[in-house]
Every structure is written in structure tokens, then in C-alpha cells.
Amino acid sequence: MTPRRRRILGKSIVVTIIAVVATFGLSFTARLALQMPIDWLSWVECTFIPILIGMPVSAYIFTQAETIQETCDKLEKSHAALKETHSRLTFVTSHDPMTGLLSRGEFIARMDRSRDEGECDTLLLIDPDHFSSINDKHGHAKGDEALVRIAKALIYTTRPGDGIGRLGGEEFGVLLRHIRKEQAKTIAEKIRRHIERVPGVKGQQDGVKVTVSIGGAEIPHGADTQDVLRTAARCLFEAKQRGRNRVSFDYEAAKLRVVTP
């Protein structure tokens, strides 16, 4: 006998015994109160009627209860599995599979949200210097390793609330929350020095060494996201032009276009 059937049988027997006892109590009390005789037929009625009625009825009720409980358990497991699958799918669609950082779309979406919150944040664009030479001289596996090491360095040198994304190819973005340009320069320089010192990112053959250039731009409240990206990209280009392995906030757009509601 299965555990399920044993549970149903046990509960049905208990209910039937209670029904028999209750029937005896009520029947005999009524007979004594009405001064009716208690004969053998009374004993038979009080014993077998509750058994014949109570046992199958209680067994049916407990069987249905078990079925409903099993269905609820299955639904709960299915819901948990669906929720886990949804969480994984959400993560996959919003994160870069190689580095685990935010995807470009999710990163820009966060820029849009932070722009509308009224606080001044700062965007950093980070790009490895001479990255194509790493792929050419050491292979794409070494290049991928370098990108992963850079991603880990960005996580290490920023705060938990900051946004970090891989914007495409070898370009990374960092969204420094509630930080203005002067403080952002210090953080950007810290990032640059940290990546320069990470041994695992440096290529030992042919003097290839991984460094990064960083361009930054503030994100004023209401500024157009694409304008901010272009400004940071021009600062990044300025850092490359000035010799690479440096931070630049020098390029200033004439005016960041404000998004109208």
C-alpha cells in the first residue's frame, strides 16, 4: 500500500470511530430520555450505519483533499521553476554573457532612468589601448581573458550602486551614481592605475601591455543620453590622441540637448 493510501485509510478509520462513538452517545441518550428499550438492533444500527456511511464518505473526502494538495504542490513547484527561468532569461537578456556586466541596452536604460531622477551622475567610457594587437599577437582567447580581467577590475574599483556595462566589442561603460566630474576624475584615474597594475591582463610577449584610456562626461538632469555618450566618446578619443593610458574630461560639448517630456 502506498503512503498516500495509508494516510487516507488511517484518517478514514479515525473519522469512522468518532462517528460510531458519537452515534452511540446520541442514540442511547435519546432512547434513555424517551424510555425506549436498548436492544441488539440498537447496537447493530449504532455500529454498522456509521461504518457503512462514514467510511466511504470520509475516504472520498480525504482522497479529494490529497489530490488537491498534490495539485497545489505541483503548481507551486511549476511556479517556482517558471520564476527561476524568468529570472535567468532576464539576466541573460540584460547582461553580457562573457563578462557578466550589463548589456549595452540595459546600461543605456539605466542612464535614462538616472537622468530623470534629478541627480547629477557621471559616465565613464573605458577602452583598452592597442587591443587589436593583443588579439593578433596572442590570439582571441587572450583578448577575451583581458576583457574579463578588465571587467573584474571595474567591479573592484567601483561601488555596488554604480552601473557597469560592456557597450560593445572592447568598450566598457561605468555609470557613477551621484558623482560629479571632479570626483569622477579621481575614480577614473584609480580605475586606470588598477588595470595597468593587474598582472593577468599584461601580455608578456613582444612587450604587449594592456592599458586603458578613459573619457568621461557628466549627465545633467534632463540631458539627452546620446549627447552624453557622444561627449564621453569625444573625451575618450582625446585621451587616445594624447598618448593613451590616460583619463580625459577635456572635451566639452557646446551644450547638452535637454530632452523634452
Side-chain angles (χ1 to χ4, degrees):
M1 184 180 292
T2 63
R4 180 175 184 268
R5 291 188 175 184
R6 282 200 297 269
R7 286 196 305 271
I8 294 171
L9 180 60
K11 292 177 181 179
S12 300
I13 290 173
V14 171
V15 170
T16 302
I17 291 173
I18 294 173
V20 170
V21 172
T23 303
F24 268 107
L26 292 173
S27 179
F28 283 20
T29 300
R31 287 177 180 273
L32 291 174
L34 297 173
Q35 296 182 350
M36 296 174 62
I38 299 175
D39 52 13
W40 67 271
L41 185 59
S42 301
W43 287 89
V44 171
E45 289 175 348
C46 292
T47 302
F48 287 101
I49 291 178
I51 292 175
L52 293 175
I53 297 175
M55 191 71 176
V57 171
S58 60
Y60 174 79
I61 293 173
F62 289 128
T63 298
Q64 295 302 311
E66 286 280 336
T67 301
I68 292 171
Q69 184 61 49
E70 289 175 358
T71 303
C72 290
D73 292 341
K74 289 178 181 179
L75 285 173
E76 186 175 352
K77 290 180 181 179
S78 298
H79 179 265
L82 183 62
K83 186 176 180 180
E84 182 180 356
T85 302
H86 180 265
S87 298
R88 289 180 180 178
L89 184 60
T90 301
F91 183 87
V92 168
T93 56
S94 62
H95 288 75
D96 173 58
M98 187 176 74
T99 62
L101 301 180
L102 298 174
S103 65
R104 179 181 180 87
E106 180 63 22
F107 184 84
I108 292 178
R110 293 199 181 189
M111 283 184 62
D112 290 336
R113 290 195 294 270
S114 68
R115 174 202 65 193
D116 297 333
E117 289 176 359
E119 296 289 341
C120 184
D121 301 333
T122 299
L123 168 68
L124 302 180
L125 290 184
I126 299 140
D127 191 86
D129 299 323
H130 302 295
F131 185 75
S132 59
S133 66
I134 298 177
N135 287 328
D136 294 340
K137 296 179 182 181
H138 299 275
H140 288 280
K142 185 66 177 178
D144 290 345
E145 180 186 348
L147 293 178
V148 171
R149 295 299 182 95
I150 292 172
K152 290 180 178 179
L154 294 177
I155 295 172
Y156 178 80
T157 51
T158 54
R159 303 166 302 169
D162 296 330
I164 311 172
R166 184 183 178 195
L167 305 188
E170 66 270 19
E171 187 177 66
F172 297 88
V174 174
L175 179 63
L176 298 173
R177 302 300 314 277
H178 314 319
I179 286 181
R180 291 190 174 273
K181 183 171 67 174
E182 293 305 317
Q183 189 179 355
K185 287 181 180 179
T186 302
I187 296 173
E189 186 61 30
K190 176 183 174 183
I191 292 171
R192 185 197 65 77
R193 290 197 305 266
H194 182 82
I195 293 174
E196 185 181 29
R197 291 195 300 262
V198 174
V201 176
K202 295 180 181 179
Q204 299 300 326
Q205 294 180 332
D206 302 325
V208 176
K209 185 174 75 169
V210 175
T211 59
V212 294
S213 297
I214 302 176
E218 283 189 353
I219 310 175
H221 174 62
D224 180 66
T225 300
Q226 295 304 318
D227 281 352
V228 176
L229 284 167
R230 280 190 289 269
T231 300
R234 285 164 180 157
C235 289
L236 176 60
F237 179 76
E238 175 72 17
K240 297 279 189 181
Q241 290 292 101
R242 287 165 50 192
R244 296 179 171 83
N245 191 22
R246 64 185 64 239
V247 174
S248 175
F249 282 73
D250 292 343
Y251 179 87
E252 296 290 347
K255 185 178 182 182
L256 289 175
R257 180 164 55 88
V258 176
V259 179
T260 56

